Amino acid sequence: MTKYVYLFREADGKDKAKFGGKGANLAEMTNLGMPVPDGFTITTEACTKYYEDGRKINQEIIDQTFATLAIVEKETGKKFGDSENPFLVSVRSGARASMPGMMDTILNLGLNDVSVKGLAKKTGNPRFAYDCYRRFIQMYSDVVCGLGKSFFEVVIDEMKAAKGIKLDTEFTAEDLQELIAKYKEFYLKEKGEEFPQDPKVQLVGAIEAVFRSWDNPRANVYRRMNDIPSTWGTAVNVQSMVFGNMGDTSGTGVAFTRDPATGEKKLYGEYLMNAQGEDVVAGIRTPSTIDHLKETNEAVYNQFVAITQKLENYFKDMQDMEFTIEEGKLYMLQTRNGKRTANAAIRIACDLVDEGLITKEEALMKIEPKQLDELLHPRFDTKALKAATPIAAGLPASPGAACGKICFTAEEAMERAKSEPVVLVRLETSPEDIEGMNVAQGILTARGGRTSHAAVVARGMGRCCVAGCGALVIDEEAKTVTINGKTYTTEDYLSLDGSTGNIYAGKIKTVDAEIAGYFGRIMQWANEVRKLKVRANADTPADAKTARNFGAEGIGLCRTEHMFFAEDRIAAVREMIISKTVEQREKALAKLLPMQRDDFVKLYEAMGEYPVTIRFLDPPLHEFVPTKHEDIVALAKEMNVSYEELKETIDGLHEFNPMLGHRGCRLAVTYPEIAVMQTRAVIEAALIRKAAGASVIPEIMIPLVGDVKELKYVKEIVVKTAEEVMAEKGEKIEYHVGTMIEIPRAALTAGDIATEAEFFSFGTNDLTQMTYGFSRDDAAKFLNDYYDKKIFEQDPFQKVDQIGVGKLMKMAVADGRATRPNLKCGICGEHGGDPSTVEFCNSIGLNYVSCSPFRVPIAILAAAQAVLKQK
Amino acid sequence: MTKYVYLFREADGKDKAKFGGKGANLAEMTNLGMPVPDGFTITTEACTKYYEDGRKINQEIIDQTFATLAIVEKETGKKFGDSENPFLVSVRSGARASMPGMMDTILNLGLNDVSVKGLAKKTGNPRFAYDCYRRFIQMYSDVVCGLGKSFFEVVIDEMKAAKGIKLDTEFTAEDLQELIAKYKEFYLKEKGEEFPQDPKVQLVGAIEAVFRSWDNPRANVYRRMNDIPSTWGTAVNVQSMVFGNMGDTSGTGVAFTRDPATGEKKLYGEYLMNAQGEDVVAGIRTPSTIDHLKETNEAVYNQFVAITQKLENYFKDMQDMEFTIEEGKLYMLQTRNGKRTANAAIRIACDLVDEGLITKEEALMKIEPKQLDELLHPRFDTKALKAATPIAAGLPASPGAACGKICFTAEEAMERAKSEPVVLVRLETSPEDIEGMNVAQGILTARGGRTSHAAVVARGMGRCCVAGCGALVIDEEAKTVTINGKTYTTEDYLSLDGSTGNIYAGKIKTVDAEIAGYFGRIMQWANEVRKLKVRANADTPADAKTARNFGAEGIGLCRTEHMFFAEDRIAAVREMIISKTVEQREKALAKLLPMQRDDFVKLYEAMGEYPVTIRFLDPPLHEFVPTKHEDIVALAKEMNVSYEELKETIDGLHEFNPMLGHRGCRLAVTYPEIAVMQTRAVIEAALIRKAAGASVIPEIMIPLVGDVKELKYVKEIVVKTAEEVMAEKGEKIEYHVGTMIEIPRAALTAGDIATEAEFFSFGTNDLTQMTYGFSRDDAAKFLNDYYDKKIFEQDPFQKVDQIGVGKLMKMAVADGRATRPNLKCGICGEHGGDPSTVEFCNSIGLNYVSCSPFRVPIAILAAAQAVLKQK
């Protein structure tokens, strides 16, 4: 017989997998002798069983629940449904990882027509008792029975109007009884049965609701975003109610042992007198700081401070605690490692090491790599900022500095962000705006607080956000925003300071983030631990410089075609594309050669002695030609060819499935002269750097190889050209030729490919598309169905699919190294900056990961964590 | 030191890999004491070395050649370049597999200004000697020096005009000397040096030309079509010249020990008096039958007959022999297993077994499975044929019946064959016409005999051919052909009977092939041997019937969407697609249900007790809607929706990469109601058949699965629906649910997928596209470059790529069966009918292959051969 239900004192506080974070920590606090209201935890295994059984609670679990409940009743001397001393409980979810607000909670359970009287009698406060009861009916009807919230809100509003009052708190006990009668009548009508009077029925309903809420849409989205498997399940914590709303010697609060924004070591929290937990969260009343408690009840305050310190020392991390004071008596309701900003995270990690509480390795494990993103974006230049005067201010909702032209819709932002920096200005944001927010430099809203949609999402993205700026008058029709009398259009720049909330007209100079102070120490420790090298995907000297500043040890992917789109080059590229003969094509390529060579010289300069991997032309040629009639007409004129001829060439480039078309090394097979030009540029540039005293070892990467013979063919061209160039210049350099592994067949035949390739770089974007057989663009249409139906829990374009794609990667590394033991293996897909992917890459023995410059520190930390996790 | 050069008598006649087919058989004949002109073979290894060394003949090979040559000179008493008794040789290619006409031959080598006089003196025939010399210069200039043929043809024509003669044979010795002078002058002008007078230089040049010709474009195409690896290389046979053109006691001929068209056991051949080999092949003079030899020289005829019988008994197969009679003396120049029609192949195989020469197993191995294709195509309906009157007759060069519109060029045939049946009408065909011949229903030529290019190639392809119809007057310019006074254009149909040579105007009804007689015996033997089951891909009862007649043991793939395109259904399909709600969609699907159910009832009926695998809807929905403006307008009216609404729906279905888009099981995930309808149809149809006393076990196949959870999701819908249907009808049947393995990830995670799948069917079309990362449509653009550059030797859409795709298949079978030991595995891609793929499928332990009905016998034979080869 499996034991599914544990008293807090019986549970193993180390076993979060079984008891969830909340349950485990309640057990810890109980066993540390802290004042925790009695209760018990129903394990996550019970939740898993619930789903295994087709969403049915096993009878054994129900039996164990009531047996354990009986123990608690006995110990507290209270009884479920009692008319004198009723036992009331809260029922809360609690998964292994914290998922704040994602699942459901029910308070005051145990109240019915009888026990509400008992509560009134015992507290001498009938108004309090009936308020608890009506809240319970509301919550239960919504959460357990799915009747929604709106009916209840309407009824309350109607009664307020009838009674001529404004606040809930003005209701009398009699008003509340009237309300309860209406609630129950509604319940009867909707459900066809009376509101359950049996607390045991209530309890089973609530437990099931918690289990069910594990699978609600917002929990699923949260899990996908935070990488939490749906198989974990949630525990259920059933706990004696304590009440912070029993008068002025009662209250409730939330506190952190350190400042979650800065990491400063000081008790930080909020306290609300005569209130229940939900009042603090709902933001209806503004809480005081924790110091208020000191003033009103120093003894309890001191007791609390002692507990917080004990908890921090015990858990060796900053704690986020909920507590309630019921008529002068302190109860601890929850403790957990506190969420914090990236700035706070690195400071706390360093301080805890300095305080001797943890080791450097433990410090590294305490920081969520993705969070570092917040630290990597530009800030305003201090001087420039001093010279500027804000035109208005909003709430500093998400830190960082942003500067861009004004956009009023997400669509507009997505379109314009391709060519210029934009700031998204909205009355308020909604989930449909997410993509627009993502491409914007910053977000400015007229409405909403620091917990509004805009603020929450922007912080999640590491995007700067100023929220709730009431001074904005937005005219979406006219596409203008008026701020304090002055009107700005879509051609105007705004600068936003997400750390102060200030808004500036025009452009303010920004400075790049740098790695120093606490951040520098953390990076230093990570560098000492990690085995994987970290490179950057960079196509420009500017990107390369950013990457080096952030600690990159080379360029893992330079996409040469990005250089082809530049205005001064696209003409030559198009000339090459419409060429009919090799000679014409070579002539056009000759124009590109000096530019491309110069690109590489600058890139080598920026990377110093570090390796630079240059990928040869990859995209299908039709990406370089226009598709619209008028653009083709213009181009024909410019190119001095007939419209018909140009149109025919462009039509000839059409592909049914461009992803599976004429691109990558296939271009070099058809047009070897392109590879010749690119090789020339790479080698000539390296020789120029050598002449300047630098040492560069270029790595030439052939894309989209599926068969060793493709690579062999192109490599022969590269080697022949390189030898020619070196002979011309009378000087030799070392260079390497390798390949992307981005086609399933390349991974499957890696042993053969390694006979030619000196290095492998996994192109996990394409490898994922082809291994799954869907393209990212097209899959967007149906992936939501896949998430909804739990077929996928993760976006395979975010995190490498370790089971399928990962199997190919593992095979390729093993087979490649069987052929060539010193084969250098890396990854340059966008996955390269994803921490879970970095961990996977470490585990399969890659030499490096390469990611966007702004993700380099994230990858560095993730690489260190990967080593530590492996231990 | 490697020995590269062997006298015929030294060579191992069993080692075709080393000596090539021609060289090995010359060795065999020499060692059997047959009259073979002396000579030697340069091995295929020398050719391989030539390519390894970057197209350079190794000195050792040259040295060995001249050392061996010296032996032959000594034995024949002749000397290279001698003015009295000159030694002349032929230089011929000879690969392991016969590649007729694909590589180059040089005759009369050794002639120069001196030795030509020796030849004239020795033969007493100066005209003959100078004719040999001018032919040699022509051949050498073209084949060895690449100067082409046209100059020489022009000069001959000019001289004929000047001399007022019509035939080459009318030239006098003096004319020929004049011609030789012009040839040599041209050579000097073009090459900047004299025509080589040193026979050793000539010989090295010719050997190199043969090596080089291994890699000429038509040889490469031939190899690709016939599955011959480029690594094999060709041997070179250097042989004393003998002359069939030394007067009326000389001649040359080709003969078969059995009729290559029917297989009948009788000596069959052609003989041309006073001629050289090339005259027979070129078809300039029409040869007599072999009986002519009997009449003119019975002793030699009897000697020849005895040799042919000895050769057939020795090689245990029908022989195709070339011989020359020089002044009454017989010489054997070549023997090989003769090419034959499929009809002849099966008859000869059966006869050889009946004659006790070979076993049944050996008989099975003698038939090329692909060739059976010829037997599986329609013949003219006897009645219709009787009613028709031929408008002319040619030679019955390749059997079968063909009916199509007239085309005059291969290009035109390739273009028009996409939309209509065509018949290729040519004066004569050349290697450049091969692709056009391949797409044509039949080939009709005005010139050439049964051994002409057209005839040989058509037989190889199993294509109907009528050759040498002198009645044709072709006007390529006007695109007309006039036959006995009546003119036909490209819009007219011709019907050709390749078995009689008759040509008919218009269309003649054809009837299907059947398996009986010799064919039936061969299939019976194959059935006894093979392990693989053979199923057919069939979507209609007619296809299913054809498949059963050809021996199919079930349907491996029924593409249900093919039923959706029918005129009476497409409206309901479109209604489903433009539905906005599940209810609308279900309503539209309800219309399709009875039709689909009826389809299945008929399919089950046609297949009797055999299994039927039904694949659920697979293509992206946009394939069912129109794309042209006017069609959308019409549909909108028909569907009673606004144009805008319909256009929006259609636009919404657009995909960037349809191959990687919303299709296969992804449709069922989004629209489970489609799977519900299809399951209903499958199960209801099976219950109807059960009620009629039949037993059907439907196999439901879910396409495009990449993750076990996709399959699980759809399977649950299928099972739930099936249970519902069976409960409704109060009757149970057995059914299975399996999946296509056509996405790399499915193969990689086959162990997981087998937890849900009861069978696997490899969809090698898609699996190939995704494993290689190119789509068939788009790859067509660059695959020619890949063939030209030897990156690919085979079309991976014809033959399964055993290295990459095959690795996935092997893994999937092994991993799938590790999970589910009795997992049934098959293949239903188009590769299923390719013999080499069948062999591979046998080797990895598949249970069945499924192919088009017309390929079923091919697969059956290939499956038997696979077992025999494995032994």
Side-chain angles (χ1 to χ4, degrees), chain B residues 218-385:
Chain B
R218 67 178 190 276
N220 284 325
V221 168
Y222 185 92
R223 278 203 294 275
R224 198 156 69 240
M225 285 172 59
N226 290 278
D227 230 354
I228 300 173
S230 71
T231 49
W232 281 4
T234 182
V236 183
N237 299 294
V238 178
Q239 191 171 23
S240 285
M241 283 298 300
V242 287
F243 299 95
N245 51 348
M246 289 182 74
D248 289 350
T249 56
S250 301
T252 190
V254 172
F256 295 83
T257 53
R258 298 176 192 235
D259 187 327
T262 64
E264 193 188 345
K265 188 174 182 182
K266 64 164 190 190
L267 190 63
Y268 175 95
E270 292 176 330
Y271 178 71
L272 200 54
M273 196 183 275
N274 194 16
Q276 262 200 331
E278 53 184 304
D279 299 328
V280 180
V281 178
I284 295 167
R285 283 160 60 195
T286 301
S288 328
T289 66
I290 194 82
D291 298 333
H292 188 65
L293 177 61
K294 191 174 179 181
E295 291 156 20
T296 53
N297 192 336
E298 193 165 356
V300 166
Y301 177 77
N302 289 340
Q303 182 195 1
F304 179 65
V305 168
I307 286 174
T308 64
Q309 283 166 358
K310 194 169 170 188
L311 285 173
E312 184 176 276
N313 288 341
Y314 185 80
F315 289 110
K316 296 181 175 174
D317 203 346
M318 185 263 269
Q319 293 300 296
D320 164 6
M321 301 147 299
E322 287 179 23
F323 63 97
T324 282
I325 297 169
E326 187 184 82
E327 296 185 324
K329 184 166 164 24
L330 173 70
Y331 291 99
M332 296 301 295
L333 299 185
Q334 168 160 343
T335 191
R336 59 185 172 197
N337 293 340
K339 300 261 175 212
R340 62 205 76 175
T341 63
N343 254 323
I346 56 173
R347 173 166 177 179
I348 291 169
C350 289
D351 285 350
L352 290 174
V353 171
D354 293 341
E355 292 162 22
L357 268 178
I358 59 173
T359 63
K360 288 177 191 175
E361 283 77 13
E362 285 166 336
L364 288 173
M365 293 305 292
K366 285 202 184 294
I367 303 162
E368 172 62 48
K370 277 183 188 166
Q371 215 187 358
L372 296 182
D373 191 43
E374 294 171 37
L375 305 178
L376 301 171
H377 289 284
R379 274 169 259 210
F380 287 128
D381 174 65
T382 320
K383 263 194 191 165
L385 197 64

Side-chain angles (χ1 to χ4, degrees), chain B residues 777-797:
Chain B
D777 293 330
D778 298 307
K781 274 192 208 168
F782 56 82
L783 280 184
N784 278 335
D785 291 323
Y786 272 58
Y787 298 137
D788 289 349
K789 294 175 178 178
K790 295 261 178 30
I791 294 169
F792 284 178
E793 301 199 18
Q794 292 294 334
D795 179 350
F797 295 112

Side-chain angles (χ1 to χ4, degrees), chain A residues 602-674:
Chain A
K602 290 191 182 130
L603 216 50
Y604 296 154
E605 273 170 8
M607 285 318 285
E609 311 285 292
Y610 285 122
V612 174
T613 306
I614 293 164
R615 183 179 70 185
F616 276 13
L617 187 68
D618 188 49
L621 297 182
H622 55 70
E623 290 195 8
F624 298 99
V625 293
T627 52
K628 285 191 198 148
H629 177 77
E630 58 268 31
D631 297 341
I632 299 175
V633 170
L635 181 61
K637 193 172 279 176
E638 189 188 318
M639 295 258 129
N640 200 20
V641 294
S642 75
Y643 170 81
E644 288 68 29
E645 187 187 338
L646 182 58
K647 181 76 170 70
E648 197 187 313
T649 304
I650 290 174
D651 288 348
L653 294 173
H654 169 78
E655 297 186 304
F656 299 97
N657 295 283
M659 183 72 62
L660 303 175
H662 194 197
R663 64 190 192 99
C665 69
R666 297 163 194 167
L667 293 171
V669 170
T670 312
Y671 308 118
E673 46 281 5
I674 301 176

Side-chain angles (χ1 to χ4, degrees), chain A residues 372-587:
Chain A
L372 296 181
D373 190 46
E374 293 171 36
L375 305 177
L376 300 172
H377 291 282
R379 273 166 260 215
F380 287 128
D381 175 65
T382 320
K383 264 196 192 165
L385 197 64
K386 268 192 189 157
T389 312
I391 53 170
L395 299 169
S398 179
C403 175
K405 287 191 181 170
I406 298 169
C407 275
F408 292 100
T409 66
E411 292 71 38
E412 191 190 344
M414 281 154 67
E415 186 48 43
R416 290 176 53 198
K418 289 176 189 162
S419 54
E420 56 188 359
V422 297
V423 160
L424 182 63
V425 179
R426 302 279 290 152
L427 206 57
E428 59 201 343
T429 62
S430 67
E432 292 79 53
D433 295 329
I434 286 187
E435 285 184 84
M437 296 169 74
N438 196 26
V439 298
Q441 301 296 307
I443 298 121
L444 173 61
T445 66
R447 290 196 203 143
R450 293 184 60 186
T451 51
S452 66
H453 178 267
V456 171
V457 171
R459 281 200 296 272
M461 289 174 171
R463 195 71 67 261
C464 159
C465 176
V466 174
C469 175
L472 304 187
V473 182
I474 298 173
D475 184 340
E476 279 200 30
E477 283 284 296
K479 291 191 169 272
T480 60
V481 56
T482 305
I483 307 175
N484 293 327
K486 194 161 174 345
T487 298
Y488 304 87
T489 73
T490 54
E491 280 309 301
D492 290 315
Y493 275 91
L494 284 185
S495 295
L496 309 179
D497 189 336
S499 311
T500 62
N502 283 336
I503 304 161
Y504 304 85
K507 289 202 242 187
I508 296 182
K509 189 180 164 196
T510 56
V511 289
D512 289 342
E514 59 169 354
I515 293 178
Y518 295 115
F519 197 3
R521 287 180 76 192
I522 296 290
M523 285 293 102
Q524 178 54 38
W525 296 343
N527 288 339
E528 287 162 14
V529 170
R530 72 188 160 98
K531 288 184 192 143
L532 278 171
K533 297 267 179 200
V534 176
R535 298 191 185 186
N537 299 349
D539 312 327
T540 64
D543 281 355
K545 207 163 151 266
T546 305
R548 269 196 75 176
N549 288 343
F550 284 155
E553 298 158 300
I555 289 177
L557 174 64
C558 163
R559 287 153 291 215
T560 52
E561 60 271 15
H562 283 196
M563 303 163 169
F564 283 16
F565 284 105
E567 263 182 53
D568 55 338
R569 299 165 185 205
I570 189 76
V573 173
R574 288 170 170 174
E575 186 184 323
M576 170 191 89
I577 292 171
I578 66 165
S579 294
K580 300 278 180 219
T581 66
V582 173
E583 291 66 34
Q584 286 173 352
R585 212 172 294 116
E586 282 174 344
K587 204 176 130 225

Side-chain angles (χ1 to χ4, degrees), chain A residues 669 710 745 786 789 801, chain B residues 669 710 745 786 789 801:
Chain A
V669 170
E710 283 176 307
R745 197 173 186 280
Y786 272 57
K789 295 176 180 178
D801 153 47
Chain B
V669 170
E710 285 175 306
R745 197 173 185 280
Y786 272 58
K789 294 175 178 178
D801 153 48

